[in-house]
Amino acid sequence: MTILLEEETEVSFDFDHKTLASEVIMAACDAEKCPYEAEVNLTLVDNDGIHEINREYRQIDRPTDVLSFPMQTYEAPADFSHAEDCVEDNFNPDTGELLLGDIILSVDKVREQAAAYGHSEKREFAFLILHSMLHLFGYDHETEQEREAMEARQRSILDDLGITR
């Protein structure tokens, strides 16, 4: 498993954010039964950085908490049956790892939302990474049924990690 972590802003949490990010990403891969070694890019930015990306890629002119850019296409969430159909597009040619995609996370939003929701920054950081990982596995929350399924997966995986509100 390769996790490429970039910090484009100062990160000063009272927990080891690098270890927690790895634990959450690996737990998501295990929970979704990813049959391959995988690669994920995680970039930590501030509100200005995520605002710019949100405007450029989603045409939404405001900061958000996390953005997900999946590299895979799934017929159903975490359905890896077609990953090998196009090896040159889906796998890193140097490592052979499945390219899951990119996560862009606003450190400012982690702090803001943890305070607003009354839980720890550690919980919010883990939740946002997990939420984004599920998007990288093809989950979405456009319909009520999709939202419920995604929320159930989030709760289950966070509970398994012992990360609660």
Side-chain angles (χ1 to χ4, degrees), residues 101-161:
D102 301 312
I103 299 170
I104 314 293
L105 178 69
S106 170
V107 171
D108 295 334
K109 286 289 184 186
V110 169
R111 290 192 173 96
E112 292 169 17
Q113 291 178 180
Y117 298 136
H119 55 242
S120 70
E121 292 177 359
K122 177 180 178 179
R123 194 272 178 196
E124 187 66 14
F125 183 80
F127 170 79
L128 291 174
I129 291 173
L130 177 57
H131 181 86
S132 197
M133 282 298 296
L134 291 178
H135 279 305
L136 298 187
F137 287 127
Y139 285 85
D140 212 338
H141 41 77
E142 295 298 315
T143 68
E144 186 66 18
Q145 184 178 6
E146 290 173 339
R147 183 188 62 75
E148 289 174 1
M150 190 167 180
E151 287 178 0
R153 293 305 296 145
Q154 289 169 167
R155 274 191 306 277
S156 174
I157 296 167
L158 288 174
D159 286 350
D160 288 348
L161 287 167

Side-chain angles (χ1 to χ4, degrees), residues 2-6 39-43 101-104 136:
T2 299
I3 301 167
L4 302 169
L5 175 65
E6 290 184 49
E39 180 180 307
V40 174
N41 299 312
L42 172 60
T43 305
D102 301 312
I103 299 170
I104 314 293
L136 298 187

Side-chain angles (χ1 to χ4, degrees), residues 3-66:
I3 301 167
L4 302 169
L5 175 65
E6 290 184 49
E7 296 176 7
E8 295 184 359
T9 189
E10 182 178 331
V11 181
S12 57
F13 293 118
D14 65 355
F15 57 90
D16 182 347
H17 66 282
K18 293 176 184 177
T19 298
L20 182 59
S22 294
E23 289 172 355
V24 171
I25 290 168
M26 288 189 288
C29 288
D30 290 345
E32 294 307 309
K33 297 178 177 39
C34 181
Y36 305 100
E37 288 296 313
E39 180 180 307
V40 174
N41 299 312
L42 172 60
T43 305
L44 305 179
V45 299
D46 60 14
N47 276 347
D48 290 339
I50 207 159
H51 183 168
E52 183 179 318
I53 297 165
N54 203 24
R55 183 175 48 238
E56 180 179 345
Y57 288 95
R58 298 178 63 222
Q59 291 71 55
I60 297 175
D61 193 16
R62 64 176 169 77
T64 190
D65 49 10
V66 66

